[in-house]
Structures are given as C-alpha cells and as structure tokens.
Amino acid sequence: MTNRFAFLASMTLATASPFAAQAAGPDIQALEAQWAGAFNAGDIDHVVELYVADAWLVVPGATPVKGKAAIKAALAQMARHVTKMDLRTQSVQALGAGVLVENGVASFDADDGTANPKRSNYQVIWKRDRQGHWRIVRDVVSPL
C-alpha cells in the first residue's frame, strides 16, 4: 500500500508541475507588463522592486551586474537609450517548487538613429517569495 501511495503521489507531482507553470503564465505576463510600464514611465525604482536582493541582470554589451543597486544603475543607463519597451512571454516552465523559468521577446525603440524597433530574446528565472509574490532571480537578455 505504501508503494502504491508513493507512486500516486509522484505521478500527481509530475503532472501537476506543468499545470502549475501554465497557471502562473498569465501572472508572469502581467508582471512583465508591470515591468515594462514602469520602465517606460521612468520609474526604475518600481522595476527594481521586482528583483530579489541578490538578483543578476545580464544584457548584451555590458558587464553582468548583481544586486538591486547595480541593477538599478544598469536599468537607468539603459533607459537613457531605450524607449517603448514591450515584453511578451513566450513560455513558462516550472523548475521546482516556487521557481519558474520564462522565455520571451522584448521589443523596444532605441536612440541609435534608426526608426526600426529592436528585438531581443530574454530568459527570466522567477522565484516566489515568502509573501507569495514572484520575484526575478536572473534576468538574461540576448539579441536576436
């Protein structure tokens, strides 16, 4: 009986993870819209609140940064050259209890002298904090 219970429990956990991630998908897209809205409004402090204290931000052409103060400085620098940020979640997958990986596409305008919108891929690792809020642990951007 114990083996049967363990088997059923493992099957429940194995099949629950994709559903948990799928259910979190719309929440993650809403958080990305919040991130982009705050960034577009120049409210970098609000953007940084979505990160954990020891998060990493990795963007093309810059040294990776760790921690909210460094992320705030990097995003403020980025905001000087990037406008109209739009983030679109492509997929969300559970990595474990309270941890998700999101893949998406960022579209934005840059002051590089062209009128063409730019696009980048991004991958974000989210972790649910003790209050139940999703926070960014790793934010990695790569050009298309």
Side-chain angles (χ1 to χ4, degrees):
M1 189 70 149
T2 303
N3 287 340
R4 183 173 178 219
F5 177 77
F7 173 76
L8 289 174
S10 68
M11 291 306 292
T12 300
L13 290 173
T15 58
S17 294
F19 293 114
Q22 189 175 26
D27 293 338
I28 297 302
Q29 180 59 61
L31 287 170
E32 290 295 7
Q34 182 181 350
W35 191 108
F39 182 86
N40 292 339
D43 188 356
I44 304 303
D45 288 328
H46 185 75
V47 175
V48 172
E49 286 306 311
L50 292 169
Y51 291 81
V52 298
D54 61 347
W56 282 88
L57 173 65
V58 181
V59 296
T63 302
V65 295
K66 180 181 181 185
K68 285 188 175 189
I71 291 171
K72 180 179 178 178
L75 292 176
Q77 176 67 24
M78 183 189 308
R80 291 187 193 114
H81 304 285
V82 173
T83 60
K84 299 180 187 173
M85 180 73 70
D86 181 55
L87 304 171
R88 293 288 171 209
T89 301
Q90 302 294 308
S91 67
V92 178
Q93 179 183 9
L95 294 180
V99 180
L100 301 172
V101 63
E102 170 203 11
N103 291 293
V105 175
S107 301
F108 55 92
D109 292 336
D111 68 355
D112 63 356
T114 67
N116 300 329
K118 309 293 183 248
R119 293 180 52 165
S120 292
N121 292 311
Y122 66 86
Q123 184 173 72
V124 175
I125 298 176
W126 295 88
K127 183 175 182 182
R128 192 180 293 270
D129 67 16
R130 290 184 176 151
Q131 292 75 36
H133 301 107
W134 289 105
R135 299 289 182 228
I136 299 170
V137 176
R138 299 287 184 277
D139 189 351
V140 180
V141 180
S142 64
L144 286 175

